[in-house]
Amino acid sequence: MQARPSYVHGAHDVPLIGQTIGSFLADIAERYGGNEALVVPHQQVRWTYTELDERVTNLAAGLLALGLRPGDRVGIWSQNCAEWVLVQFATARAGLVMVNINPAYRRSELEYVLAKVQCAALILAPSFKSSDYLAIVGDVVPELTDSQPGSLQARALPHLRHVIRLGAGQTPGMWNFDDLLTKPDEAQLADLKTIEASLQFDDPVNIQFTSGTTGSPKGATLTHHNILNNGFFVGEAMKLTDRDRLCIPVPLYHCFGMVLGNLACVTHGATMVFPGESFEPAAVLKTVQAERCTGLHGVPTMFISLLDHPDFDSVDLSTLRTGIMAGSPCPAEVMSRVIDKMHLAEITIAYGMTETSPVSFQSSTDDPVALRVSTIGRVHPHLEVKIVDTEGRIVPRGVKGELLTRGYSVMLGYWGDEDKTREAIDAAGWMHTGDLAVIDDDGYAAIVGRAKDMVIRGGENIYPREIEEFLYRHPKVLDVQCVGVPDQKYGEELCACIVLRPGMAASEDEIRAFCKGQIAHYKVPRYIRFVPGFPMTVTGKIQKYLLRAQVAEALGL
C-alpha cells in the first residue's frame, strides 16, 4: 500500500464570509449593538458595538472629506490604543488601505515604508516609550513646519499629503485626529455610502511589512476576504461567542493583535480589551481580573513573565478559558503551567505567517495537551496545505519538507514587487512559507526548522540579511554575518559576526551606537563578535549553521 501524501484540506460546513469588513461590522453592530465592543481602561474607553460603528462611520467620512480616495494608503504609527481600532475599521469602510507601521521603527525604516507604498496620509501618536514620533517625522518631512494641514509638499515623500496626530496637542502642518470624528453632513454620508457600496471583498485593505530575506521589508498586501475570514475562523477555533471578553496585550501593528485579536472578537460580537499601550505583565494581570476576561493572547515569553510575576498569586484569573499562544514554539512545561495555574484549559496554539493573513494551522480547544505542545494543530477551514521536497514533490506523511499553503488566506502579493511575489507564490497559487514541517497520519503538523535563516526573538521575526545590509554601511565593517543563538528568555537572540577592514579597530558599543535610532531596538544585535573570517564551503558559500554552532559555543550558550 502506498504511503499517504502530506496533503491536507480543511473542508468545512461553515461557508466563507463574502462581505467587506465595513459592511460586516455594520451587521454585527445591528445584532450585538448593546454589547461592549472595546474596553481600554487607561484611556477611559468603554464603547458598545453601536458606538464603535458610529465612530467608525464618522472617521471614514472624515478621512474621505480630506480628499482621500479608495485605494489610497494610510499609514498608522502608534502603540495599542482605541484610535488604532477606529483607523482599522474606518479605512476598511472608506475603501482605503491601512499600512501598519511597527512602533519600534526609527527614521530610516519609517521613510522606507512611507515611500515604498506611497502613503497619502500618516496617522501617528506623538510619542511612544523612547521614541519621539513627532521629531522623527519632522526630520523625515521638514516641510511640515511651514505647511498648512492637508497641503504638504514633501521632497522626500511626494505622495504624502496629510499627517494626522493623536492627542490634544497642536503640531504645525498636522491635522488633529479628534477633529476627523465630528458627525458628517448629508453629502459626506452619501459619498461614504456610494463608496462603500462599490467596494469588493477582494480589494486590498491592509499592508503589513515583513522583513525580507533580501534586506528591505516587503509589504504583504491583504484583502477584506483574507483577514475577515481568518479572524472569524480563528475565533471559531477558540469557540468565541458574544459573551467572551478577550484581553489583547499583543501589538496591533502585527496580525496577532489586529486579526487574531480584533477581528476574531468583532466577527463574534465579543469584547476587545486592551490592558495597556504595550505588554506590561502587572497591567495584564490586573485587567484580566478587573474586566473578567475569558480569553488571553500572547507569545510564550509573555505567558512566562505573567506566571513569574510577584503579583501572580494575588490576582483572580478564574474567568479565563481560552486564548492563543503563538509567535514561537511553546515549551511543554510553560503550557501545562498556563493551563493549570491560569485556568486556560482551552488555550490554542496557532501557526501562520503575515502573507497568509496569518493563520493556517491551529489546535482545537479539546486537543490533548501533549498535541497542543508538540504540534501546531490541524489545517484551518477552507485552506489547503502540502509538504514538498526540494524538487517540489509532495512527500509522504511523516517526512520533512517545506510547508506550502493555498486558499482564501494567501495575500494578493508584495506591494510593488512582482518578482518577490512570484518567488513566494507559485503558478498554482501555493504560498511557499520557507518553514520545514512534518504532517502525521491524523493531520497534525509540527514545524521542525526553517528553510531560510530567520531568527525568531520572542515572537518577532528578524531576517539576518536586513541587519547585515545595515551594518555594511559602517565604515569599519568589511564583512558581516548575523545568526541566531539560543536564549532562555526570548528563544533566540541575534549575534553579529563582523570582519573589520584591515588596520581598523572597533568596540561592541560603537557598533550598537551605530544601530541606535536607525533600526528597531529588537533588531539591534544582542551579541557582537569580531572574527577573522567565516566558515565556507568549497564553492565559497558561507556555512551559517557552522557559524551559529561556533558562536553559541564561544558564548557558552
Side-chain angles (χ1 to χ4, degrees):
M1 190 177 115
Q2 209 183 353
R4 288 173 70 200
S6 292
Y7 167 78
V8 285
H9 173 232
H12 211 267
D13 53 358
V14 177
L16 288 167
I17 300 163
Q19 265 178 287
T20 58
I21 290 170
S23 75
F24 193 88
L25 173 64
D27 288 355
I28 288 286
E30 242 172 59
R31 274 166 67 196
Y32 302 111
N35 258 19
E36 282 189 346
L38 180 65
V39 175
V40 189
H42 70 274
Q43 290 186 290
Q44 281 83 56
V45 163
R46 199 172 281 276
W47 298 336
T48 64
Y49 270 100
T50 300
E51 292 166 333
L52 173 67
D53 188 58
E54 195 178 306
R55 282 180 166 86
V56 164
T57 293
N58 293 354
L59 180 57
L63 290 168
L64 293 172
L66 294 182
L68 294 167
R69 274 345 239 171
D72 279 347
R73 272 77 66 206
V74 176
I76 170 119
W77 193 28
S78 157
Q79 60 274 58
N80 287 9
C81 59
E83 293 88 344
W84 213 106
V85 183
L86 293 179
V87 173
Q88 177 179 354
F89 288 96
T91 47
R93 182 160 283 170
L96 303 165
V97 181
M98 179 175 74
V99 181
N100 302 11
I101 303 172
N102 188 330
Y105 273 6
R106 295 293 192 267
R107 196 213 137 116
S108 72
E109 296 156 317
L110 175 73
E111 191 170 357
Y112 173 83
V113 163
L114 294 175
K116 177 71 184 171
V117 301
Q118 300 175 338
C119 278
L122 170 66
I123 299 170
L124 76 156
S127 64
F128 177 53
K129 292 187 175 168
S130 62
S131 293
D132 182 342
Y133 289 171
L134 295 175
I136 295 173
V137 168
D139 194 25
V140 172
V141 192
E143 297 90 345
L144 263 174
T145 37
D146 301 320
S147 68
Q148 288 302 305
S151 62
L152 177 65
Q153 291 185 309
R155 204 170 50 82
L157 299 164
H159 293 85
L160 186 63
R161 300 195 300 280
H162 305 278
V163 179
I164 301 156
R165 58 154 294 165
L166 306 183
Q170 298 286 333
T171 305
M174 298 189 190
W175 301 102
N176 269 56
F177 185 84
D178 290 353
D179 295 343
L180 303 180
L181 289 172
T182 48
K183 216 169 169 45
D185 59 31
E186 289 305 311
Q188 289 170 333
L189 264 182
D191 182 35
L192 175 60
K193 286 230 172 336
T194 306
I195 281 170
E196 215 183 336
S198 73
L199 301 178
Q200 300 297 300
F201 63 65
D202 285 326
D203 292 340
V205 74
N206 182 218
I207 296 174
Q208 299 209 19
F209 277 87
T210 87
S211 292
T213 40
T214 52
S216 303
K218 303 190 292 276
T221 307
L222 304 172
T223 66
H224 294 261
H225 201 60
N226 285 155
I227 58 177
L228 182 62
N229 279 292
N230 206 258
F232 172 74
F233 283 105
V234 160
E236 289 289 280
M238 294 161 62
K239 297 197 168 76
L240 279 191
T241 72
D242 59 334
R243 309 270 36 100
D244 277 300
R245 300 170 71 78
L246 179 65
C247 183
I248 306 172
V250 291
L252 294 176
Y253 77 85
H254 199 279
C255 272
F256 203 165
M258 166 189 160
V259 182
L260 282 65
N262 294 356
L263 283 169
C265 284
V266 167
T267 50
H268 292 83
T271 308
M272 303 169 268
V273 181
F274 297 169
E277 297 186 329
S278 61
F279 177 70
E280 230 308 307
V284 172
L285 293 170
K286 190 176 127 190
T287 304
V288 167
Q289 174 176 286
E291 293 298 332
R292 305 192 63 72
C293 293
T294 58
L296 174 63
H297 283 357
V299 299
T301 46
M302 289 181 179
F303 285 103
I304 292 166
S305 58
L306 292 171
L307 288 161
D308 295 345
H309 197 273
D311 298 346
F312 184 79
D313 291 328
S314 62
V315 290
D316 176 9
L317 306 178
S318 61
T319 53
L320 286 175
R321 167 185 74 79
T322 188
I324 292 174
M325 199 185 296
S328 52
C330 170
E333 177 253 354
V334 176
M335 182 57 114
S336 44
R337 281 173 72 198
V338 164
I339 290 171
D340 196 30
K341 299 238 186 318
M342 297 182 74
H343 308 277
L344 286 164
E346 299 187 351
I347 192 165
T348 68
I349 295 274
Y351 159 83
M353 62 192 304
T354 307
E355 291 89 338
T356 57
S357 308
V359 174
S360 49
F361 276 84
Q362 192 171 355
S363 59
S364 64
T365 55
D366 47 13
D367 276 340
V369 176
L371 279 173
R372 277 189 266 179
V373 175
S374 58
T375 77
I376 51 172
R378 287 190 265 207
V379 69
H380 238 241
H382 302 289
L383 296 179
E384 297 175 275
V385 165
K386 65 178 179 177
I387 308 289
V388 301
D389 62 19
T390 49
E391 261 76 72
R393 297 175 187 281
I394 297 180
V395 299
R397 297 272 174 129
V399 175
K400 181 168 81 171
E402 188 187 2
L403 190 150
L404 275 54
T405 307
R406 180 166 71 178
Y408 80 82
S409 70
V410 175
M411 66 172 180
L412 287 179
Y414 294 119
W415 187 274
D417 205 333
E418 276 192 29
D419 291 346
K420 290 275 171 285
T421 302
R422 272 199 301 271
E423 278 172 35
I425 304 169
D426 66 26
W430 291 99
M431 174 77 211
H432 292 243
T433 67
D435 283 321
L436 301 175
V438 175
I439 293 183
D440 71 14
D441 278 335
D442 297 319
Y444 288 90
I447 299 296
V448 293
R450 294 193 291 282
K452 304 261 176 13
D453 291 311
M454 185 172 78
V455 175
I456 302 183
R457 179 191 179 275
E460 288 283 6
N461 294 353
I462 304 174
Y463 290 81
R465 185 68 189 270
E466 184 188 352
I467 318 304
E468 289 158 10
E469 300 274 11
F470 179 78
L471 290 173
Y472 275 127
R473 299 184 202 163
H474 193 289
K476 293 182 180 176
V477 172
L478 174 68
D479 204 354
V480 57
Q481 289 292 320
C482 292
V483 292
V485 291
D487 182 76
Q488 281 269 282
K489 184 177 179 190
Y490 291 108
E492 283 183 297
E493 280 277 17
L494 195 66
C495 175
C497 303
I498 294 172
V499 179
L500 292 169
R501 295 188 178 279
M504 295 272 185
S507 69
E508 292 183 30
D509 288 342
E510 183 181 341
I511 302 294
R512 283 199 191 92
F514 179 72
C515 298
K516 212 172 170 196
Q518 292 296 321
I519 57 174
H521 65 89
Y522 66 86
K523 297 180 189 169
V524 178
R526 162 86 188 275
Y527 303 102
I528 291 160
R529 309 271 304 167
F530 297 100
V531 296
F534 306 119
M536 300 274 197
T537 64
V538 187
T539 55
K541 281 201 177 112
I542 292 164
Q543 294 173 299
K544 273 210 166 171
Y545 69 98
L546 268 181
L547 183 62
R548 200 179 291 119
Q550 289 172 3
V551 168
E553 192 181 345
L555 293 168
L557 300 168

